[in-house]
Amino acid sequence: MNLDNKTVQSLASHLEQAELKTQDVVKITDAHPDMDFDDAYAIQYAIRKAKLSRGQKFAGLKMGLTSRAKMTQMGVDTPIFGFLMDYMARGDGGEIRIDELIHPKVEPEIAFVTKADLHGPGCHIGDVLAATDFVVPAMEVIDSRYRDFKFDLKSVIADNTSSSRFVAGGHAGDPRELDLRTLGVVLEKNGEVVATGAAAAVLGHPANSVAMLANMLGARGEHIPAGTFIMTGAVTEAVAVRKGDSINARFQGLGSISVRFV
Ligand code: OOG
Ligand code: MG
């Protein structure tokens, strides 16, 4: 850690205010070039604590930048993790208000729900499949608080990995029966296909993303508890949306998710 606690707290409040006031800010490493990865996660944890202290409920964890498409799109090369809260959840088939967001983008993801604790280091795909209750299709709405979605890895970790809204589909699948590598995903905007992919885009298999999360948490003395909802990261690049857009994400064998931005 290179930042003192006061600076961590004030950067957390700065970024959370940007979220709550729908106002973009410049990336925080511009003013704090010496901040390190521990500082970045400490800022993210301070935002989580602030939300919990206001009575909001923890809803799950997410991995980000787990696919080549996303790493290339954002110009970074290491997966990161963040958290989800209850107020970020929206229903399949529902509406998402655009005026609550800065410059949202949508991404199709595979989500896991665990039935046993997962501990790292040393967590691997076999542990994850054994500890998975079911998988569901999901759609994340990311909304970086940074101007023009321009950031570096430390800045985006501090900004809770651009978490903003998420939608989980209701068609649950068993990861032991599905082939999660070849599972196809089609993303449509206003009836036109705008991105396609296969779930192997996520670290070869989305369960590897959950294993990596357990290992990243393990390095911090934490674990993934049983019953955790985990989004494993975008299968395709993220697609920008505007007011009036209808989005439909189709997942092979797992149904589809649709939302409208109003
Ligand atoms: C960071 C969050 C990335 C994913 O699924 O890859 C992410 C960003 O691109 O703003 O959620
Ligand atoms: Mg995502």
Side-chain angles (χ1 to χ4, degrees):
M1 297 267 305
N2 290 326
L3 302 183
D4 58 27
N5 183 48
K6 198 164 150 255
T7 309
V8 167
Q9 296 304 325
S10 93
L11 287 171
S13 156
H14 171 67
L15 289 173
E16 207 202 358
Q17 285 308 310
E19 178 205 349
L20 300 176
K21 293 187 174 148
T22 320
Q23 229 158 43
D24 61 7
V25 295
V26 298
K27 65 180 183 348
I28 57 174
T29 47
D30 289 357
H32 301 277
D34 56 336
M35 72 181 262
D36 63 17
F37 284 96
D38 287 337
D39 294 319
Y41 278 110
I43 294 165
Q44 182 192 119
Y45 275 60
I47 295 173
R48 180 162 155 183
K49 215 172 144 197
K51 292 183 185 304
L52 289 169
S53 74
R54 272 184 245 116
Q56 287 160 344
K57 301 287 176 236
F58 176 79
L61 294 168
K62 63 164 276 193
M63 287 289 279
L65 308 176
T66 48
S67 65
R68 192 50 57 196
K70 282 288 304 187
M71 291 186 211
T72 306
Q73 182 179 33
M74 305 320 298
V76 289
D77 59 4
T78 315
I80 54 181
F81 69 87
F83 65 87
L84 303 166
M85 302 297 289
D86 57 349
Y87 77 89
M88 301 176 180
R90 294 292 179 277
D92 182 15
E95 296 181 338
I96 295 179
R97 282 185 54 184
I98 209 112
D99 61 0
E100 294 175 354
L101 309 173
I102 301 167
H103 43 201
K105 297 183 188 183
V106 295
E107 17 183 66
E109 308 203 8
I110 305 291
F112 282 60
V113 176
T114 56
K115 62 182 175 188
D117 293 357
L118 279 168
H119 290 268
C123 181
H124 59 73
I125 186 167
D127 300 321
V128 174
L129 293 175
T132 298
D133 199 352
F134 54 86
V135 296
V136 283
M139 179 143 63
E140 178 166 34
V141 181
I142 50 168
D143 192 33
S144 175
R145 269 55 70 170
Y146 297 119
R147 197 149 303 156
D148 303 323
F149 249 97
K150 293 228 162 60
F151 49 66
D152 49 32
L153 220 40
K154 292 168 193 163
S155 294
V156 69
I157 290 166
D159 183 31
N160 189 22
T161 65
S162 310
S163 299
S164 170
R165 301 283 181 265
F166 69 96
V167 181
H171 188 132
D174 183 340
R176 292 165 213 79
E177 280 161 19
L178 291 164
D179 185 349
L180 281 177
R181 295 162 304 167
T182 57
L183 190 141
V185 177
V186 179
L187 185 64
E188 296 168 354
K189 178 160 88 172
N190 304 323
E192 271 179 41
V193 175
V194 286
T196 59
V202 176
L203 297 174
H205 189 299
N208 285 328
S209 173
V210 179
M212 183 180 265
L213 174 62
N215 291 328
M216 289 168 93
L217 290 175
R220 311 169 54 87
E222 298 169 27
H223 69 282
I224 304 174
T228 304
F229 174 80
I230 303 155
M231 305 222 311
T232 54
V235 174
T236 68
E237 70 271 26
V239 171
V241 289
R242 292 194 301 198
K243 190 171 183 160
D245 283 342
S246 286
I247 298 292
N248 189 31
R250 300 178 191 278
F251 296 79
Q252 188 179 11
L254 288 176
S256 60
I257 294 178
S258 60
V259 290
R260 208 156 60 84
F261 286 83
V262 299

